[in-house]
Amino acid sequence: MFEPLRPWQWLLVAITLAALAALPLLSSNSYVLHVLILSMIFGIFASAWNLVTGFAGLKTFGHHAFFGIGAYSSALVALHSGLSPWLTIWIAALIATVAGLFIGLPILRIRSMPHVAIVTLGFAEIVRITISNLQSITRGELGLWGIPPFESFTLPVLGEMKFTPADKAGYYYLILVLLVFSTGLITLLMRSKSGLALVAMRDAEDAAESLGVNLTRHKLLVFGVSAFLVGLAGAFFGHYIGILTPSAAVGPDLMILVIAMALVGGLGTLSGPLVGALVLTCVVELLRDLNDLRLLIYGAIIITVVMFLPKGLATLGPLVRRRITYLRAPTTSPAKHL
Amino acid sequence: MSNMPSKTLLRVDDITMAFGGIVAVANLSLTVETGEILALIGPNGAGKTTTFHVIAGVHKPTAGRIFFDGQDITFYRPDGRCRSGVARTFQITQPFQELTVEENVMVGSLAQHRSIADARKDARRYVEMVGLSDRANVLAKGLSTGQRKRLEMARAMATRPKLLLLDEVTGGVDQKSIPGLIELVKQLRREGLTLVIIEHNMRVINELADRAIFMNRGQKMAEGTPEDVMQRPEVVELYLGEELQHG
Ligand SMILES: Nc1ncnc2c1ncn2[C@@H]1O[C@H](COP(=O)(O)OP(=O)(O)OP(=O)(O)O)[C@@H](O)[C@H]1O
Ligand SMILES: [Mg+2]
């Protein structure tokens, strides 16, 4: 991960991006776009959670708090101040960052991971119940509606970018840009000196600290960056869906879905959470008509992947490649012993 | 070090380390002079590793002070002590499992270098120094015990310490590779490093140490040249006798 990218990797990224950018030109099917938009929202969420848990090893289960804080902050600020959602999504992301640092601080002192898990989960429940009870502001479970959509604008080649339920191309391109931003930020962070320090901290905290890694600074850094990105995804979600309820925007099942995405895709990898988000969002949508059977099939898929590919779908490529090279050259040099 | 004016690098001043009711280290004082190799010996549970933890900052002592290179570092965190020039290895090795050998050492180099590429270049030197070049790109979880001990040394050296604390580098290592490890420590000393080593292997102590401190039940019982300390009746009775019996 800390090696420079190889040409074929750059090529793969470029092809994927080109295909994603071209898609709305080929199909304006708004259902397909809707599924992809959701996949990308979850892609940002899962990647940001993976940054904290997969890369830095802090087992937090309360990231849906930041999603909800982002969603409600952006919606409420836009509703009451009249500021454009183009601005309020960033304000909301910053509010989520502050919340991230706020919960990050006490977590720094806890070395036992089960405790970290409980504290973060509890924090998210507090956020959900608060939003639910502040009915005069958030309308509670009745739902906050009338959230202003993004204003449309005109692009040279693509024409006018509209943000309406019927025409989803604008939302699609916006979330694609946010996804590229988020993935770029996480990739840069992980490939920097801090990225190496984070993985070291995950694998052996005492050793990392003895080698000069400032644990406090690094834990706050990942918590801040991660909460920022999740808040941003939540803010976009609110303006996209147009209505927010505490259970949809801060419900624990949201967190469980995102954890499943990161696990199925591959925890501690850069592409895993993105792959997992796409696969599971599609699965959820495809199974929507099956009602009760849905959860069963959904669970079975997750278990199958986790059983046969414990490190996730993202490791499928390297695994196949290794098999091939192994078949080509079955004699490996015997490991040299000390 | 005989003709060098001796200068105290580390001074441990009357430290006590208690965990609840267990007193692991009791009123221990010691000094380490620049350029020397001090051996810390004693039976299992004597408090040797705990002493290292206190010097490296893992535990704040219940009482007492620690001075390093003229500064009071008693309340520094471990990463701060590393920056002051204290490095250590762990008795139970703690490799970064999912990182390669080279990347493990890079973690130690980080503070010294601006870019990750520079850290990598620097790390290669230390990987080579401990003789792990042919394993540089292997994940650390694939290493043998002896290789892990070497990795710990390379990582610690990459932080450019003034003082290196080695906790049983020869423990759990096969006999054949001990001479290589002794040679490595000698080389570190030639490069100007000061070392404190925890050792159970008498041959290693005799070959390396300028001075030895014998600990038992958290207390310092004897101090002097290794030959001298090992002839003391209490050391023979409490430690060497037992060692001889167990072969
Ligand atoms: N974190 C801790 N909590 C409670 N007791 C501890 C802790 N660390 C060490 N001890 C106790 O302190 C005593 C000294 O342990 P220490 O590891 O320092 O011994 P040692 O001299 O390094 O022994 P060995 O040769 O077996 O490595 C032991 O009785 C141990 O059980
Ligand atoms: Mg010990």
Side-chain angles (χ1 to χ4, degrees):
Chain A
M1 186 164 66
F2 302 98
E3 295 282 357
L5 280 186
R6 299 203 193 87
W8 68 264
Q9 287 172 311
W10 280 112
L11 196 68
L12 200 68
V13 171
I15 291 172
T16 312
L17 273 180
L20 283 172
L23 199 119
L25 304 175
L26 306 174
S27 148
S28 56
N29 181 331
S30 88
Y31 181 62
V32 171
L33 289 188
H34 173 67
V35 173
L36 287 173
I37 289 169
L38 285 182
S39 303
M40 290 194 267
I41 294 173
F42 282 122
I44 296 175
F45 192 162
S47 303
W49 180 72
N50 175 56
L51 174 63
V52 175
T53 303
F55 285 129
L58 304 165
K59 311 255 178 315
T60 77
F61 294 121
H63 260 47
H64 46 308
F66 308 131
F67 194 78
I69 289 172
Y72 273 93
S73 306
S74 187
L76 288 170
V77 173
L79 265 173
H80 295 296
S81 72
L83 285 176
S84 160
W86 288 101
L87 192 62
T88 60
I89 56 170
W90 301 101
I91 297 174
L94 287 177
I95 295 174
T97 310
V98 173
L101 297 178
F102 173 76
I103 185 67
L105 270 175
I107 286 175
L108 297 175
R109 288 166 215 295
I110 311 174
R111 290 218 170 191
S112 138
M113 282 305 151
H115 288 83
V116 170
I118 294 296
V119 169
T120 50
L121 190 62
F123 166 71
E125 270 303 279
I126 293 170
V127 170
R128 187 183 67 79
I129 293 166
T130 308
I131 291 175
S132 189
N133 288 341
L134 283 177
Q135 288 196 6
S136 56
I137 303 168
T138 64
R139 297 196 199 117
E141 285 296 343
L142 295 173
L144 181 67
W145 44 266
I147 302 168
F150 293 96
E151 292 93 1
S152 60
F153 66 99
T154 310
L155 276 181
V157 183
L158 301 163
E160 191 182 13
M161 287 289 114
K162 278 185 261 168
F163 294 87
T164 64
D167 188 351
K168 295 198 158 58
Y171 286 111
Y172 178 85
Y173 282 114
L174 175 55
I175 191 68
L176 180 58
V177 168
L178 295 182
L179 180 77
V180 170
F181 165 74
S182 147
T183 310
L185 186 67
I186 293 174
T187 308
L188 280 180
L189 176 66
M190 287 316 298
R191 298 177 71 87
S192 72
K193 287 168 57 172
S194 297
L196 187 60
L198 288 174
V199 175
M201 179 172 90
R202 174 194 69 192
D203 284 358
E205 197 169 75
D206 286 338
E209 198 177 23
S210 82
L211 296 172
V213 174
N214 184 328
L215 300 181
T216 308
R217 194 196 303 151
H218 283 91
K219 286 179 183 179
L220 279 181
L221 175 74
V222 279
F223 247 91
V225 170
S226 178
F228 179 86
L229 293 174
V230 176
L232 189 63
F236 174 90
F237 175 79
H239 295 288
Y240 174 61
I241 297 289
I243 177 161
L244 289 174
T245 60
S247 49
V250 213
D253 41 342
L254 191 63
M255 187 72 246
I256 292 169
L257 178 64
V258 166
I259 292 171
M261 286 169 173
L263 286 181
V264 165
L267 202 60
T269 65
L270 286 166
S271 61
L274 302 177
V275 174
L278 178 65
V279 170
L280 285 193
T281 309
C282 290
V283 168
V284 168
E285 287 300 321
L286 288 175
L287 299 178
R288 198 164 281 281
D289 298 332
L290 289 176
N291 294 328
D292 288 352
L293 266 181
R294 196 179 60 139
L295 283 177
L296 194 70
I297 299 180
Y298 178 65
I301 290 175
I302 293 174
I303 291 172
T304 312
V305 173
V306 172
M307 261 176 63
F308 291 103
L309 270 177
K311 291 194 172 164
L313 291 172
T315 57
L316 195 61
L319 204 72
V320 171
R321 219 174 310 128
R322 214 172 309 134
R323 271 286 149 77
I324 294 170
T325 33
Y326 181 74
L327 289 177
R328 276 202 212 123
T331 48
T332 49
S333 58
K336 236 186 174 172
H337 288 288
L338 193 91
Chain B
M1 65 163 260
S2 47
N3 49 13
M4 237 195 292
S6 99
K7 178 181 171 288
T8 301
L9 183 62
L10 174 77
R11 186 154 66 85
V12 169
D13 195 6
D14 200 22
I15 58 164
T16 294
M17 186 70 234
F19 302 101
I22 304 166
V23 181
V25 176
N27 303 99
L28 178 75
S29 294
L30 60 86
T31 58
V32 182
E33 308 299 322
T34 303
E36 77 168 335
I37 298 183
L38 170 69
L40 217 50
I41 62 175
N44 295 123
K48 306 181 296 293
T49 297
T50 306
T51 303
F52 268 18
H53 283 330
V54 173
I55 296 172
V58 176
H59 303 311
K60 301 273 169 284
T62 317
R65 302 234 142 213
I66 299 156
F67 299 90
F68 180 74
D69 210 13
Q71 294 173 65
D72 184 346
I73 60 166
T74 314
F75 298 105
Y76 285 25
R77 277 178 293 131
D79 53 313
R81 299 198 194 195
C82 170
R83 278 185 288 277
S84 305
V86 180
R88 55 90 58 96
T89 66
F90 291 86
Q91 179 174 1
I92 299 159
T93 56
Q94 295 202 17
F96 307 125
Q97 307 267 15
E98 301 291 332
L99 293 178
T100 64
V101 166
E102 188 171 279
E103 286 162 353
N104 264 265
V105 180
M106 280 162 71
V107 176
S109 305
L110 283 181
Q112 313 287 333
H113 297 275
R114 287 239 183 113
S115 78
I116 204 140
D118 287 348
R120 186 179 296 280
K121 225 177 286 159
D122 185 57
R124 285 204 183 114
R125 275 185 33 219
Y126 294 102
V127 171
E128 192 188 327
M129 182 169 123
V130 300
L132 285 176
S133 289
D134 58 333
R135 313 236 72 195
N137 296 314
V138 172
L139 290 185
K141 61 181 170 191
L143 297 183
S144 69
T145 309
Q147 290 169 336
R148 283 174 189 220
K149 300 266 178 179
R150 284 171 179 267
L151 175 61
E152 293 253 328
M153 287 172 77
R155 246 171 23 177
M157 284 305 295
T159 67
R160 307 255 174 96
K162 295 181 188 128
L163 173 70
L164 180 57
L165 311 171
L166 298 178
D167 199 344
E168 299 196 20
V169 257
T170 63
V173 175
D174 62 296
Q175 292 296 317
K176 288 197 308 286
S177 37
I178 288 180
L181 285 167
I182 292 177
E183 203 38 57
L184 184 56
V185 174
K186 282 185 175 165
Q187 188 194 336
L188 298 183
R189 190 237 295 263
R190 279 197 297 273
E191 290 181 11
L193 204 66
T194 306
L195 293 108
V196 182
I197 59 175
I198 294 178
E199 257 307 330
H200 283 297
N201 186 320
M202 290 306 140
R203 200 175 101 217
V204 177
I205 297 167
N206 282 325
E207 257 198 74
L208 288 175
D210 302 304
R211 219 151 49 85
I213 287 178
F214 173 74
M215 283 181 77
N216 188 42
R217 293 168 171 252
Q219 283 172 321
K220 180 162 83 178
M221 307 281 283
E223 181 170 7
T225 64
E227 299 77 27
D228 186 26
V229 168
M230 284 188 223
Q231 276 162 13
R232 302 272 184 94
E234 66 270 32
V235 177
V236 173
E237 187 198 337
L238 288 166
Y239 182 51
L240 298 177
E242 174 198 1
E243 289 276 296
L244 290 176
Q245 275 167 22
H246 291 278

